[in-house]
Structure formats: structure tokens, C-alpha cells
Amino acid sequence: MSEELHRLTAHEARDLLSRREVSAIELTRAILDQIAAVDDRIGAYLTVANETALAQAAEEDEAIANGEGGLLAGVPISVKDNMCTKGVHTTCGSLMLENFVPPYDGHVIGRLRDAGAVLIGKTNMDEFAMGSSVEHSAFKPAHNPWALDRVPGGSSGGSAAAIAADEAIIALGSDTGGSIRQPASLCGVVGFKPTYGRVSRYGLVAFGSSLDQIGPITKDVRDCALLLNVISGHDERDATSVPVDVPDFTEALTGDIKGLRVGVVDEYLPDNVDADVRAVAEAAIGELEGLGATVERGLSLPNTKYSLACYYIIAPSEASANLARYDGVKYGYSYQDGDSMWENMDGTRQHGFGDEVKRRIMLGTYALSTGYYDAYYLKALKVRTLLRREFDEAFERFDVLAGLVSPTPAFLLGEKTDNPFEMYLADIFTLPANIAGIPGMSLPAGFVERDGALLPVGLQLLAKPFDEASILRAAHAYEQATNWHNERAPM
Ligand code: GLN
């Protein structure tokens, strides 16, 4: 048993922990052992908090013994390195924050601590969450557990790879344009971007503030619902956090989807994507139909074609404003060899930021500059409204929209690094959910074979704002009827 502890889901672990058949210390050790055994090949972690994790586990064992354990008492979790963790490095994958140790916990971290989750470490990511492969991490690339010569996706690729390689029981990522769903799809795990406003971003390093959301990356749908229960809810410290009721998301896991109205959107399952990948999504949609969902195919959301352009104006514009704070004065890396304050500030940004981040800052500064603001930023906001309306209309007729998460399975390391536009295309199906603020999930739906390796493919499910439950309901029923989530990477 003990050698298999790292393979547990959170709900399985909770059962064993509450029956005292396993201790939080044993479970934490099992995860730390797995990290020690495989992470030099995967590169999922930037920081492993060995000592504090074991100390926290000991506290949780005591709480459990006293009958005071929270919802995630004793469950090891790993968190993307853009969420502030008190006393634990938070680098955001950047040299700019290489030595930053936050003096406070972000909102979700506080919630996790209250629920008793044990913080194992901070996961690798593209610098400032800009990227789709973790190749823009300032420290090291990460590798896909299903094929080590391939990327895990990004920017939350470290979290997705950690779950796929059993280096964490559950994890958190952030999603500005697909950064939870795309790596989840490429690593064969569950990834969920909640509705904009569902989860507070207090203590999340800001990228595109009108797009960023935090969400779960897990081994199965039940864990996803559990983790959503813990992190969701209003928080005054984030002005965009919406004061709406949070349902118990596990109640959506009924196993019954009879009559659920599923729309299949042509733009998310186009004819010109990889045929094998398309076939996986088709089969998954057929399965939902077989389970009693009412499936309508051939739906079109024509404004989808503007999402890439719209995103690459809005996200860099907001990023250029958010990243202005890294001036070498207040915190983070500071270049000191210049002859003036201005030279030091230039040096800080020149050496502290990587190429992709600089590219985004330039794109955003350009789009926001006098004379161009109306032509680019304002225009993008108008397109955003059109996209939202199109989704609103679709959700009058459908509970869930289905399509692909990613047009391809995991690509080779280095395959897209020379061509930023190619990299941007990796998120073509995930960007619209961020632009419209709606919830979206990547659900393991099968595999395709490439160069002798089996590579996971995810099905994307979308729903109207604050209706995460419909997605979870569909995903759970599908998961019960299939076995993809139980396949493990051949480590
Ligand atoms: N890959 C997209 C980008 O580079 C999305 C990133 C994200 O969701 N954080 O901007």
C-alpha cells in the first residue's frame, strides 16, 4: 500500500486519513519521495517545501486525531509559482522575482491552509504565465510525463505535469487564456477554469487582470469539485470577486445527464485540426449522447475567429500596465550598476525580464499608446462584447458547449519556440472562455499515438457564468463511464 500512496486522489486520501489508516506525514513523505524519484526528469517544481510540508502534515495529523480536520486535512497540494505563499519563494518563473519571498498568503492559499491541505511546493511555469509550454520559464523547461521529449503545455505546465506524474495529489493553476485547460489536456488530467469572479485573485501575480482566474488541476472530477468548494467565494480584497452563493459542487456529481443539452460548436471542432485528435473528441461527444445527453451538432459561433486577435490586444495591454511595477525599487530584482536611477530602472527590466515578457510589454504599450488606443484596445473590447453576446445566446439553448481544448497533442520541446505566433495558436480554442468570462474545463477523453508514445487529448466543456455545476455534472458522468482518468503515464 504505502508505495502506492502518491497515486491516490484527494477524496481517496481523505477517506484513508479520516479512518486513520494513513497519516498526513506518510502521505506527504510518499509525495516527497516521488518528487525525489522523478522530478529531475519532469521539472515540475521550482520549489519543494520539504520541511514546512512535513511540519504542516504533523499539525494536520494532530487536528485529525482531535476530530478537527478540515475538508482537505492532510492532503498534499502543489501550487503554481505565481500565487503568493507566506515564507515560501514565489518566482513567477522569472529572474525578476527569483528571490521574492512573500510576507503574506494569497486568498486561495489561506483557504487551503484553513482546509488543512499540505503545501508541497511551487510549480514550474512560463515566465509571468506568458506561454503555452513552460519553455519560457526563466529557470528550466518542464517535460510531459507521457513523453519526456514533449512539452507539458503551459503556462501551468508544472502543475499539470506534477499531477500526471503523481508528484502531488491535487494542484492549482491559473488561466488567462488557457493556462489551466491546455496543459491539463496535454497531460491527461482534469483542469478547470472557473467563472471570472468566482475565485479571488488576491495574492495572484497579475497578468491580464480582466482575464486571470485560478482553478484546480486534479486526477479526477470529484477532486476538482472538492477543490472548487475550498477556493471559491467572495473576498473583499479582490474587487472583481463576485458575492454570489457557492453551491456544494460535489452535489453536481449525480452520474445522471439525461436531458442535459450539449451543443457541439464547429469553431471548436473544425475539420482542419489533426484528424486523430478530432476523432477522440467525436467519440467523447458520442459517449455523452449515449449517456442520455441531448446533443446538437453543427452549432456556429462565428465571432470565435476574432478571439486570438482580441486576446493578443487585451492580454498584453493589461500585462504592460501590470508589469510596470517591476522597477527595481520596491521589490524583486534590482540592477544597481547604472549611473542614474533611469539607467538602473532600464537595467532592471532589461535583465529581469525574458524575451517573451518583453515582447508582450511592447505589444501592450503599443496598443495602448495615444492614437492607437481606439484602433486596438477599444476595438478589442467591442469584439469582446460581441463574443459574450454570442455565448449568451448559445446558453439559452444549451447547458454545455463541447469541443477541443487544443488543436494538437503535446508538441515537441523546441518545436514552436522560434515562432511566437505558432505558440499563440496553441490556445485558439481556450481564449474565448477568458474573453467572455465563462467557466471551462479540460476533461481527459482519450489518446493519440505519436512516435510510439500515447499522448492524452482533452475534451473542452463550457457553460454559462457561474454554472460550473453543469460542466462538472457532464464531466463526472463521462468519467464514470470511461477509464481514461485511471491511465497513468509510463514513468
Ligand atoms: N498561452 C496564453 C498566453 O501566452 C495563455 C496564458 C495563460 O493562460 N496564462 O498568453
Side-chain angles (χ1 to χ4, degrees), residues 257-469:
I257 54 165
K258 285 199 189 62
L260 189 84
R261 300 165 303 166
V262 178
V264 183
V265 188
D266 280 346
E267 285 81 3
Y268 293 76
L269 199 55
D271 290 329
N272 60 358
V273 288
D274 184 302
D276 300 340
V277 168
R278 192 172 197 281
V280 168
E282 295 278 10
I285 291 161
E287 183 76 41
L288 289 173
E289 201 165 21
L291 291 166
T294 317
V295 175
E296 190 178 317
R297 292 180 173 75
L299 195 71
S300 177
L301 301 180
N303 285 316
T304 305
K305 60 176 170 293
Y306 303 122
S307 345
L308 191 75
C310 186
Y311 175 85
Y312 276 98
I313 290 170
I314 296 174
S317 295
E318 294 179 2
S320 71
N322 276 325
L323 270 50
R325 73 192 67 176
Y326 302 102
D327 54 10
V329 177
K330 296 185 281 291
Y331 61 100
Y333 168 73
S334 184
Y335 180 83
Q336 293 291 345
D337 294 340
D339 289 332
S340 67
M341 179 199 78
W342 294 112
E343 276 184 32
N344 284 340
M345 203 178 281
D346 282 352
T348 296
R349 292 171 72 81
Q350 183 184 335
H351 302 294
F353 289 138
D355 287 349
E356 183 60 29
V357 174
K358 287 178 190 160
R359 181 177 297 120
R360 303 289 177 107
I361 292 173
M362 288 190 282
L363 281 171
T365 310
Y366 182 79
L368 291 178
S369 54
T370 314
Y372 294 108
Y373 183 94
D374 290 0
Y376 294 108
Y377 191 68
L378 211 60
K379 178 78 119 318
L381 293 186
K382 288 179 182 163
V383 173
R384 182 173 205 170
T385 303
L386 293 178
L387 261 156
R388 267 201 198 120
R389 279 198 202 134
E390 207 166 76
F391 274 120
D392 286 347
E393 280 165 26
F395 288 123
E396 280 172 17
R397 294 173 49 219
F398 299 99
D399 302 305
V400 165
L401 298 177
L404 280 168
V405 178
S406 162
T408 65
F411 44 92
L412 293 165
L413 279 142
E415 194 178 321
K416 297 185 198 283
T417 35
D418 292 339
N419 186 341
F421 186 63
E422 277 280 309
M423 190 73 88
Y424 297 172
L425 283 171
D427 296 299
I428 187 97
F429 302 142
T430 49
L431 305 168
N434 302 79
I435 296 172
I438 61 175
M441 174 192 245
S442 176
L443 176 68
F447 294 87
V448 296
E449 207 202 304
R450 288 289 177 280
D451 305 328
L454 283 179
L455 303 177
V457 174
L459 180 74
Q460 183 168 216
L461 299 173
L462 303 170
K464 66 172 182 273
F466 298 104
D467 190 19
E468 287 86 359

Side-chain angles (χ1 to χ4, degrees), residues 245-256:
D245 286 343
V246 180
D248 175 355
F249 291 110
T250 61
E251 282 178 7
L253 314 183
T254 59
D256 177 16

Side-chain angles (χ1 to χ4, degrees), residues 92-289:
C92 222
S94 180
L95 293 177
M96 193 62 96
L97 292 174
E98 188 174 13
N99 298 313
F100 178 55
V101 179
Y104 70 106
D105 275 333
H107 176 79
V108 290
I109 305 300
R111 285 285 184 94
L112 289 172
R113 286 196 205 277
D114 291 346
V118 173
L119 180 71
I120 292 290
K122 306 295 292 293
T123 58
N124 202 357
M125 56 182 286
D126 289 293
E127 183 175 7
F128 284 100
M130 297 169 188
S132 307
S133 67
V134 191
E135 289 165 296
H136 299 312
S137 165
F139 304 109
K140 60 183 180 187
H143 301 259
N144 192 309
W146 292 91
L148 297 176
D149 54 348
R150 290 176 185 267
V151 303
S155 62
S156 316
S159 288
I163 294 301
D166 294 306
E167 297 181 76
I169 301 289
I170 46 177
L172 284 181
S174 69
D175 192 312
T176 303
S179 278
I180 289 174
R181 291 160 288 155
Q182 185 257 10
S185 177
L186 271 43
C187 288
V189 297
V190 172
F192 202 111
K193 181 198 91 72
T195 309
Y196 186 75
R198 180 64 102 181
V199 179
S200 164
R201 290 96 42 86
Y202 174 74
L204 171 74
V205 178
F207 167 9
S209 300
S210 75
L211 304 157
D212 301 337
Q213 260 298 284
I214 296 170
I217 297 182
T218 59
K219 295 176 189 172
D220 72 5
V221 177
R222 183 166 295 279
D223 277 6
C224 176
L226 262 179
L227 193 44
L228 272 177
N229 278 353
V230 170
I231 62 173
S232 299
H234 183 235
D235 171 28
E236 283 176 354
R237 297 168 300 182
D238 174 357
T240 66
S241 155
V242 180
V244 290
D245 286 343
V246 180
D248 175 355
F249 291 110
T250 61
E251 282 178 7
L253 314 183
T254 59
D256 177 16
I257 54 165
K258 285 199 189 62
L260 189 84
R261 300 165 303 166
V262 178
V264 183
V265 188
D266 280 346
E267 285 81 3
Y268 293 76
L269 199 55
D271 290 329
N272 60 358
V273 288
D274 184 302
D276 300 340
V277 168
R278 192 172 197 281
V280 168
E282 295 278 10
I285 291 161
E287 183 76 41
L288 289 173
E289 201 165 21

Side-chain angles (χ1 to χ4, degrees), residues 13-84:
R14 278 300 305 145
D15 287 346
L16 295 171
L17 285 159
S18 58
R19 290 204 301 269
R20 318 267 315 266
E21 286 172 31
V22 109
S23 69
I25 290 268
E26 284 172 298
L27 194 54
T28 301
R29 283 228 169 86
I31 292 296
L32 294 173
D33 287 350
Q34 175 71 355
I35 294 172
V38 304
D39 205 52
D40 57 341
R41 280 176 285 157
I42 304 292
Y45 283 89
L46 292 176
T47 300
V48 181
N50 285 280
E51 278 169 32
T52 52
L54 287 167
Q56 216 189 333
E59 281 172 29
E60 290 309 321
D61 276 330
E62 217 177 293
I64 294 167
N66 296 332
E68 292 163 359
L71 211 52
L72 293 174
V75 177
I77 186 164
S78 292
V79 174
K80 187 177 184 179
D81 210 19
N82 59 352
M83 298 176 213
C84 287

